[in-house]
Amino acid sequence: MESTIDKTIEFVKEKLAGAEAGHDWYHIERVWKLSQEIAQHENSNKEVVELAALLHDIADPKFHNGDETIALKVSREFLEGQNVKEETIEEVLFIIKNISFKNRGEVPKDLPIELKIVQDADRLDAIGAIGVARTFNFGGFKNNLMYHPDIEPKLNMSKEEYKKSNGTTINHFYEKLLLLKDLMNTETGKGLAQERHDFMLKFLEQFYKEWNVE
């Protein structure tokens, strides 16, 4: 008998076949594994953590004209089809709805530990060497400039501004990636984030050095 987790993995792999490489099955797999690593140090519902990690990007709004309801609908239909109990479904959908960086100003206070774990894992995969690679891959996918010396980063953007932003890839480091270390929820997440954050700072230092042909 296949477990619900095994069936979810199969479902996600199938749904994300051909997805943009920064938001494909391998991104999901890394977030799932990081979530499990963080969850070892927290008192949490492991089933909710794993299901939410696996389904968190099943229909990323940036690839669906900003529609944030598709992922919730797809996830509910799948989980109901697996006879997952309603309480678990509600907890998983809450995480999917509230995990995003752009939604951080809208989330309720006193978030459940399961959301904090999956959110940390997702944010960890947005920084470090993988974060650099994913950022440039997505920038290329959108045909954004890598860098422009005269285009300043837009800090403190509203959710709508963030969704519509087509700034440079380097500016994205200042608009999001370098902020994530201090937004980690768990002690494990904070510890893992520091090394990745430091790597990005070194990368930027080297990037400017080469850009300016020093």
Side-chain angles (χ1 to χ4, degrees):
M1 279 280 288
E2 275 190 304
S3 70
T4 303
I5 298 299
D6 289 334
K7 288 178 180 175
T8 307
I9 289 169
E10 283 179 21
F11 174 71
V12 173
K13 281 184 176 179
E14 185 182 319
K15 288 289 284 185
L16 295 184
E20 182 266 330
H23 298 81
D24 59 1
W25 159 249
Y26 294 106
H27 162 63
I28 302 298
E29 184 179 41
R30 291 189 302 270
V31 171
W32 174 50
K33 288 178 177 177
L34 282 164
S35 293
Q36 290 174 288
E37 182 178 344
I38 296 168
Q40 289 176 7
H41 307 281
E42 304 291 341
N43 182 15
S44 62
N45 182 324
K46 304 298 191 290
E47 182 187 29
V48 170
V49 167
E50 288 196 59
L51 289 173
L54 288 166
L55 291 166
H56 82 278
D57 262 349
I58 199 66
D60 189 310
K62 60 179 154 285
F63 302 109
H64 293 84
N65 298 315
D67 191 335
E68 297 180 33
T69 65
I70 298 173
L72 302 174
K73 181 171 178 286
V74 169
S75 298
R76 173 172 281 285
E77 285 177 0
F78 170 75
L79 294 171
E80 285 178 348
Q82 302 306 312
N83 297 313
V84 174
K85 61 185 182 184
E86 179 60 25
E87 181 185 354
T88 300
I89 293 175
E90 290 286 347
E91 290 176 23
V92 170
L93 296 184
F94 180 84
I95 293 171
I96 294 170
K97 183 179 178 183
N98 292 290
I99 192 173
S100 173
F101 174 80
K102 70 179 179 303
N103 291 341
R104 66 196 184 284
E106 301 174 358
V107 298
K109 300 288 181 251
D110 301 322
L111 295 172
I113 186 60
E114 291 79 11
L115 185 149
K116 291 179 178 180
I117 290 168
V118 181
Q119 189 175 63
D120 277 8
D122 191 36
R123 288 174 171 173
L124 282 167
D125 203 57
I127 60 178
I130 290 286
V132 171
R134 290 180 67 212
T135 300
F136 278 94
N137 191 83
F138 185 69
F141 177 82
K142 297 270 286 183
N143 199 29
N144 292 342
L145 290 173
M146 282 202 305
Y147 174 58
H148 193 301
D150 299 329
I151 300 176
E152 295 285 328
K154 293 181 181 175
L155 306 179
N156 305 312
M157 280 187 280
S158 69
K159 177 179 173 178
E160 288 308 311
E161 287 173 328
Y162 184 83
K163 282 166 71 173
K164 293 173 184 171
S165 174
N166 280 318
T168 71
T169 299
I170 287 294
N171 280 354
H172 189 63
F173 284 82
Y174 301 96
E175 294 164 354
K176 177 182 177 181
L177 307 189
L178 292 172
L179 307 178
L180 295 179
K181 174 179 71 73
D182 293 331
L183 294 175
M184 291 291 157
N185 302 295
T186 65
E187 289 307 311
T188 306
K190 289 172 186 174
L192 292 170
Q194 186 64 57
E195 181 185 8
R196 297 184 184 217
H197 182 83
D198 292 343
F199 176 87
M200 292 192 298
L201 293 177
K202 288 284 289 181
F203 169 80
L204 288 168
E205 182 184 339
Q206 184 70 17
F207 181 92
Y208 294 128
K209 190 175 174 182
E210 294 178 16
W211 182 278
N212 295 310
V213 197
E214 290 179 11

